[in-house]
Amino acid sequence: MSYRIIVAEDHPLLRHGLKALLGTQPDYQLIDEAVDGREAVAKTLQRQPDLVVMDLSLPGIGGIDAAAQIRRRLPQQKVLALSDFDSEIHVGEAMRAGCAGCVKKDCAPEEMLLAVKTVLAGRRFIDQDLASLLLDGVLHPDKARDEFIAARLAEG
């Protein structure tokens, strides 16, 4: 079986790297790409891939909002989030928006392939670093909230 995948990532180097990595797998077919949230939603609704690999920090509507819009219209659509945030709050928001998994952008290629395989199999996947952040947030919710607020204030 061939799985149809859309990659939604605004950074060209990372987008091409993801396409090259996924293209090494005989069962994966890259059918389209998107560079912002609106384009990701439109192309997903039009093409209805088996998986969308989506950057959480897309321009326009971000990846979290794009994932939520996609899942409202296509409840069975699988979305794997890519995060460059070191915050369990972002990961939690992505999962609540309907993402089936989340990996950090700096994960090893093998971990990315494992995440794709896991999500396509209908299971959830969170990479080890992000899982640790989530657990820290559960164990120390006040600290996590304060760190999130401080990071948002620093962003401007």
Side-chain angles (χ1 to χ4, degrees), residues 92-128:
E93 288 176 356
M95 301 305 277
R96 281 189 293 280
C99 293
C102 191
V103 294
K104 287 187 69 173
K105 287 185 178 183
D106 63 356
C107 73
E110 300 79 19
E111 187 164 24
M112 182 65 191
L113 291 174
L114 178 60
V116 169
K117 180 180 179 180
T118 302
V119 170
L120 283 170
R123 297 186 312 271
R124 294 191 178 271
F125 185 93
I126 300 175
D127 81 20
Q128 189 64 44

Side-chain angles (χ1 to χ4, degrees), residues 29-98:
Q29 177 188 4
L30 285 300
I31 62 167
D32 217 331
E33 59 187 72
V35 298
D36 64 40
R38 289 189 199 292
E39 187 177 31
V41 171
K43 288 184 174 185
T44 300
L45 295 176
Q46 177 188 25
R47 308 287 310 265
Q48 297 192 16
D50 297 298
L51 177 67
V52 179
V53 178
M54 178 148 8
D55 178 8
L56 289 181
S57 58
L58 288 171
I61 59 170
I64 292 171
D65 291 336
Q69 287 183 31
I70 289 167
R71 295 276 299 167
R72 272 195 299 276
R73 301 275 300 277
L74 300 172
Q76 301 305 315
Q77 179 63 61
K78 293 176 175 80
V79 178
L80 174 62
L82 298 172
S83 178
D84 56 0
F85 300 111
D86 282 329
S87 164
E88 78 285 345
I89 293 174
H90 286 105
V91 177
E93 288 176 356
M95 301 305 277
R96 281 189 293 280

Side-chain angles (χ1 to χ4, degrees), residues 141-152:
D142 292 337
K143 178 183 173 198
R145 185 191 68 242
D146 293 345
E147 288 175 359
F148 177 76
I149 291 169
R152 285 288 170 110

